[in-house]
Amino acid sequence: MASSAETVPGPKLRVAAIGDLHVQETDSAPYRELFTEISGTADVLVLCGDLTNFGKTGEAEILAEDIRACTVPVLGVLGNHDYECGQPEKVCEILSQAGMTVLDEQAVEIRGVGFAGVKGFLGGFGRGELAPFGEPIVKAFVDEVMSEARKLENQLRTLRTDRSVAVLHYSPIADTLEGEPEPIFQYLGSQRLCDPIDRFDHVKAVVHGHAHHGTYEGRTPRGTPVFNVAQFVLRPRFGKPYVVLEI
Ligand SMILES: [Fe+2]
Ligand SMILES: [Fe+2]
């Protein structure tokens, strides 16, 4: 079920992607079997946020054990659910100790393909985009997504690869949100995240999660493919909760 992101010369990297794992404290090795399967079918595993259900350390520890079972590199970003208990740095530390690279400030390169990632934030699209005007709290809100976009841009700028993947939790486009109620699109992503993506030729694909009822595939204004890899979107479409992109 591999889908080709874009035709580029050279050997392709098989990138398995899944978002919205939502691991709970009552789960027992919830992704062990899946990660073992992915280790045999892909070269790298990318996790697109909402790794835990409430950002509890117990939830992160359960996922960490499954990550340890993975024999390919694991990288990804946190999601809003991983912030719920107010200790995302602890979640991050537990997952990092298990070998996962949590992207936020620094891009990584794996076999000639760059990976840059941030959680992202909300803010809306087109006419529905919130502007940084008026009350300080409104400006702070917009600043948050601009800061995420800036971190993504800085990472993309450091990459010297001719192919890269941008990893997000929130969506940078509205197209992959289709299926969700339109009034909540503004809470599911921000087009401000799209600007850095469309600035660099080397970005061949974008993966995100968060929109559980959204649409699998869309494109940025410049034409870069965007994939909503929330497992709840992938499962009905592919019969599996993950997808393998050839980059
Ligand atoms: Fe989610
Ligand atoms: Fe989310």
Side-chain angles (χ1 to χ4, degrees), residues 20 50 80-81 169 210:
D20 301 273
D50 284 358
N80 56 316
H81 276 249
H169 181 59
H210 192 51

